[in-house]
Amino acid sequence: NTRTIAESAHGLACHLKDTGHAGGRIAVAHDTRNRSLEFARLVCTTLAAHGFDVLEFDGHRATPTLSFTVRHLACVAGVVISASHNPPSDNGFKAYWSHGGQVLPPHDSGIVECVAGSTKIPTMTYDQAVEDGRISRLGPEIDQAYRRAVLDSRLPAADHQSHDPANLPALFTPLCGVGAGSVLPVLHEAGFVGVELFEPQAAPDGDFTAVPDQLPNPERPEVFGPAIAAADRDRQVLVLATDPDADRLAVAAPGPDGLWRVMTGNQLAVVLLDHLLRHHDCPPEAYVLTTLVTTPLLGELCRTHGVQAVNDLPVGFKHIAGEIEQRGPGGFVFGCEESIGFQAGTYCRDKDAAVAALLIADIALELHADNQTIWH
């Protein structure tokens, strides 16, 4: 509600001041959920009243776009208003630190302490903050920079593939979230113009009316039902689905028997990492990051290719982001969680459905040319 959102923004602002970051820039984004815009504006005005320069997106955006923006524009922090794949009644406040990843110790507890001590919270009107130059808007220019960064993370081998990306017939559904503005443009700019938008679930809708059970979690095979039916009818070979804030990707394809199946996060992680290791010229310091609940097959793949596997991280992509910061991005190859979160670039510090979709499209294209799918 408005009080908890204001307290969260206030707590972030106070902790930033306590750690020597007063007056810096903070990027604020939101997804398509009910009240997300309202809550984002409240965050903006609270941060502005604390003396920070707020960069507000001019519409809904994907969570990884926010992570990229924090790094790209040298912000001291970032905020996304989103509840990811939760039911329509939920919403949430995601706080990001200057490295572009979600907050880690000691900053997480520092923010919580400031929230707990909240009494009177400073504020100002939105119009006054804009007039005073405390809030400025981010538009298409940041989206273009983000797409370039994702595309630059594509494997060099994919740049001169012998197969035409336009020949891959596939379907993409954002599950009524933001993915149509981040994932699909990346695929189309990469040449995958045969990836079509699933129109029944394309419109932003905080109630997720067109999603089975109104539960937009692509880990649930049930959400694929309408899109698979359409793809099967139109003889498409791949269905991609993102959660509402487009940081996670799930994939479905027909097997050898013609029956469609949805990949688990572990299965998809293995397919993506195998592709990366087979086509990537890994440096001696190359490493792969994953959590202690993710399949150990990833570690076996790494050993086969002489790449270090760090597979005992706590659950939460923020820990993968923190490990990249500690080790340095030069050797980073891949990070993943079994809950369909993947990252293969260093342009942001969170999982990103766009780069995962680009990788799986390259894999599916190669297989499609041989009359195979990702299940063969």
Side-chain angles (χ1 to χ4, degrees):
N1 59 46
T2 53
R3 176 66 191 185
T4 56
I5 292 293
E7 285 178 346
S8 299
H10 173 69
L12 175 62
C14 290
H15 180 68
L16 284 167
K17 290 178 176 179
D18 291 344
T19 53
H21 297 91
R25 292 192 287 187
I26 302 177
V28 178
H30 66 86
D31 66 4
T32 62
R33 285 181 171 270
N34 297 325
R35 303 187 73 183
S36 280
L37 174 59
E38 173 193 353
F39 290 152
R41 288 282 173 89
L42 178 56
V43 170
C44 289
T45 53
T46 303
L47 296 174
H50 271 282
F52 289 92
D53 292 327
V54 180
L55 306 178
E56 177 198 22
F57 285 91
D58 62 0
H60 54 70
R61 290 299 194 283
T63 289
T65 305
L66 181 280
S67 174
F68 165 79
T69 300
V70 170
R71 296 178 58 80
H72 185 66
L73 297 182
C75 298
V76 296
V79 174
V80 177
I81 301 298
S82 171
S84 186
H85 56 279
N86 284 19
S89 58
D90 294 351
N91 217 324
F93 179 103
K94 293 183 180 181
Y96 287 74
W97 204 246
S98 57
H99 68 298
Q102 291 190 52
V103 290
L104 287 163
H107 302 302
D108 51 1
S109 58
I111 294 169
V112 170
E113 289 175 7
C114 290
V115 170
S118 299
T119 53
K120 184 177 180 180
I121 299 174
T123 189
M124 61 193 305
T125 67
Y126 179 80
D127 289 343
Q128 186 64 53
V130 172
E131 184 178 335
D132 292 348
R134 285 297 182 187
I135 297 177
S136 55
R137 307 297 294 278
L138 295 173
E141 71 287 343
I142 199 69
D143 301 312
Q144 293 168 3
Y146 162 76
R147 289 195 298 270
R148 283 195 302 270
V150 176
L151 290 165
D152 286 346
S153 300
R154 196 180 188 189
L155 289 172
D159 292 339
H160 45 77
Q161 234 180 70
S162 58
H163 309 301
D164 184 358
N167 291 333
L168 180 69
L171 195 60
F172 168 71
T173 173
L175 298 180
C176 302
V178 304
S182 59
V183 175
L184 199 60
V186 165
L187 290 172
H188 285 178
E189 286 192 27
F192 290 101
V193 294
V195 179
E196 298 178 356
L197 180 63
F198 184 50
E199 291 295 343
Q201 296 173 345
D205 176 15
D207 291 320
F208 309 108
T209 310
V211 178
D213 304 318
Q214 295 178 270
L215 295 176
N217 183 358
E219 288 183 277
R220 301 175 64 244
E222 295 86 348
V223 306
F224 277 88
I228 284 177
D232 193 50
R233 180 195 64 219
D234 296 338
R235 300 193 176 187
Q236 290 160 319
V237 299
L238 188 69
V239 173
L240 308 172
T242 52
D243 61 346
D245 64 332
D247 60 353
R248 301 190 307 145
L249 178 80
V251 172
D257 55 4
L259 297 178
W260 284 76
R261 297 179 179 85
V262 180
M263 277 193 161
T264 67
N266 280 329
Q267 289 170 331
L268 186 52
V270 169
V271 169
L272 293 174
L273 180 58
D274 176 69
H275 174 73
L276 285 165
L277 293 178
R278 284 191 293 110
H279 293 91
H280 192 64
D281 186 15
C282 295
E285 69 275 16
Y287 62 91
V288 169
L289 304 175
T290 188
T291 65
L292 51 83
V293 298
T294 309
T295 176
L297 184 54
L298 297 169
E300 295 299 325
L301 277 173
C302 288
R303 278 186 281 277
T304 300
H305 290 270
V307 171
Q308 183 182 6
V310 180
N311 52 9
D312 59 351
L313 296 175
V315 174
F317 217 89
K318 63 183 181 180
H319 300 291
I320 293 175
E323 193 72 17
I324 295 173
E325 291 303 297
Q326 288 188 22
R327 292 174 174 266
F332 177 68
V333 176
F334 186 59
C336 64
E337 294 181 309
E338 46 77 35
S339 53
I340 59 174
F342 314 101
Q343 180 53 266
T346 58
Y347 57 90
C348 73
R349 290 293 183 272
D350 210 342
K351 51 196 177 290
D352 188 0
V355 74
L358 187 58
L359 289 171
I360 200 67
D362 279 329
I363 295 167
L365 175 63
E366 182 179 344
L367 292 167
H368 180 59
D370 294 328
N371 294 315
Q372 295 180 321
T373 75
I374 54 175
W375 284 113
H376 283 66

